[in-house]
Amino acid sequence: MATNYGSKTKTALSFAVERDNLLQCYDAFESTGSTHWPDVVGTYSGSRAEGNPVLNTTEGVGSNKIKYFTFDGAGDYFHFEQYGQPNICSLSTWIRINDTNAEETLCSHISGGPVGTYYYIMSTGYMAFGYYNAPWTTIEGTGSVVDDNVWHHCVWARSGTNHRFYVDGSLDTNLTMDVAMGGTINTIGSRWSGGHQFTGDIAHFSMYSVQLSATQVSDMYEAQRHRFGV
Amino acid sequence: MFENRKYVIINTSETGSIDFSQVLFRNAQILTLNVSGSKTFVKYEDDMPSSIDSLSTKSVEYTNTEIRNILTGSEWSHGI
């Protein structure tokens, strides 16, 4: 897997770092200020901001400058064309949460029909993943709390029934699911029916069709942490 | 961040009277409903838009913190 450090202005991949096997990459760093995030091929393939998440552009300077979207937890989310995820899959995201009373959904599906998975932060501040195995089942992190109003790099990396959560470049929790899960997603920041919407900041969101390794996750974190002051 | 945002809960039956150019949602299809489907909410910045002010079922204005507390309650929490 190729590794690329540093910003790549004028592309949609500036924060991706790991570029191979990308399924999706939304990067507020490259935002044009519109209501869209550029996707992996640099075009706006149907993504749309609902509600009115706010683009922030003033944090950091020079090569450390970041842009991010702030979601109000009450109707703000991104909606994009749905796609099916493979059983082997990873989500990498930079987030900042200052809400210790609620679940924060990173992504899922806005409709109840095809939804099978959701990635979220529990009200206790730990990473978690929900999947439908008749009934809904969750696996929950037990390592680091990430809703402390500090930027965190969170990675969900699964292959078959193994699912590893990483926080800030280190393994947080190594979990086993009951079944291997794919899932269809089309939102960032909301669960179905507008439930458990994200309150806070998202600067980067990329999905991969592989289970990222510990080394890759650490490299991703180390390459970008200076931008977030951590 | 969202000090200027105001939120008002209304009956779903009145969504047809909303001028969506005055609020921060594009249309009625993307509004979040409560579990029973009888209520929804709209949001806007600063003063209450005229099309919201004229709704007979509108609630008081809520702040962002207040509406998030409401949305985490059982009336608005969809399933898991």
Side-chain angles (χ1 to χ4, degrees):
Chain A
M1 175 173 285
T3 301
N4 204 314
Y5 293 164
S7 67
K8 294 286 185 184
T9 57
K10 309 303 181 187
T11 78
L13 298 171
S14 65
F15 269 1
V17 182
E18 297 286 349
R19 295 184 169 205
D20 291 347
N21 303 301
L22 270 171
L23 291 170
Q24 181 184 22
C25 178
Y26 289 98
D27 193 344
F29 179 77
E30 292 292 338
S31 173
T32 61
S34 72
T35 56
H36 299 77
W37 275 347
D39 70 4
V40 64
V41 293
T43 61
Y44 307 126
S45 57
S47 65
R48 177 185 288 276
E50 304 289 11
N52 197 30
V54 175
L55 177 67
N56 297 275
T57 62
T58 59
E59 196 159 317
V61 295
S63 61
N64 288 329
K65 190 173 184 63
I66 61 171
K67 297 179 181 178
Y68 55 92
F69 280 98
T70 300
F71 298 74
D72 73 351
D76 288 352
Y77 66 96
F78 272 82
H79 191 189
F80 50 83
E81 185 177 5
Q82 71 174 29
Y83 67 93
Q85 295 187 322
N87 293 345
I88 303 174
C89 199
S90 298
L91 167 62
S92 169
T93 187
W94 279 93
I95 57 176
R96 182 168 59 184
I97 299 170
N98 184 22
D99 180 5
T100 58
N101 298 317
E103 293 183 5
E104 314 290 347
T105 302
L106 264 300
C107 72
S108 186
H109 199 289
I110 197 64
S111 300
V115 67
T117 57
Y118 57 101
Y119 303 69
Y120 69 112
I121 305 300
M122 295 188 292
S123 58
T124 52
Y126 298 109
M127 293 173 63
F129 178 80
Y131 59 101
Y132 188 71
N133 186 31
W136 281 99
T137 306
T138 61
I139 51 172
E140 300 176 347
T142 56
S144 299
V145 169
V146 298
D147 61 353
D148 55 356
N149 201 28
V150 174
W151 283 107
H152 289 287
H153 181 226
C154 294
V155 175
W156 289 253
R158 69 180 188 270
S159 177
T161 58
N162 177 244
H163 204 145
R164 297 175 183 176
F165 298 163
Y166 294 87
V167 175
D168 297 338
S170 299
L171 182 65
D172 182 84
T173 312
N174 190 0
L175 297 153
T176 301
M177 300 188 295
D178 295 336
V179 295
M181 283 302 301
T184 301
I185 66 169
N186 73 351
T187 65
I188 296 173
S190 184
R191 219 171 288 180
W192 54 96
S193 301
H196 304 286
Q197 293 183 330
F198 188 88
T199 305
D201 305 319
I202 302 178
H204 178 78
F205 180 102
S206 54
M207 195 74 75
Y208 298 83
S209 60
V210 296
Q211 184 182 39
L212 293 170
S213 70
T215 299
Q216 288 171 320
V217 173
S218 177
D219 287 348
M220 295 165 81
Y221 172 68
E222 293 297 335
Q224 302 293 1
R225 60 183 298 186
H226 67 283
R227 297 184 185 281
F228 298 93
V230 295
Chain B
M1 170 59 72
F2 297 112
E3 292 80 5
N4 294 334
R5 284 195 184 181
K6 310 289 176 49
Y7 305 80
V8 170
I9 295 172
I10 62 172
N11 284 359
T12 309
S13 59
E14 286 200 294
T15 56
S17 300
I18 298 171
D19 179 349
F20 282 94
S21 69
Q22 298 178 336
V23 299
L24 296 176
F25 291 117
R26 289 186 299 118
N27 55 48
Q29 283 67 51
I30 64 166
L31 295 177
T32 297
L33 308 183
N34 66 351
V35 174
S36 71
S38 64
K39 295 180 181 178
T40 186
F41 69 90
V42 294
K43 58 183 176 181
Y44 48 86
E45 293 182 337
D46 301 318
D47 296 333
M48 183 179 291
S50 56
S51 70
I52 304 303
D53 190 36
S54 64
L55 300 178
S56 62
T57 63
K58 67 179 183 296
S59 69
V60 298
E61 287 185 331
Y62 295 108
T63 66
N64 177 258
T65 299
E66 290 170 335
I67 193 71
R68 286 193 286 114
N69 287 335
I70 292 170
L71 295 178
T72 57
S74 59
E75 184 181 1
W76 292 84
S77 294
H78 291 268
I80 56 175

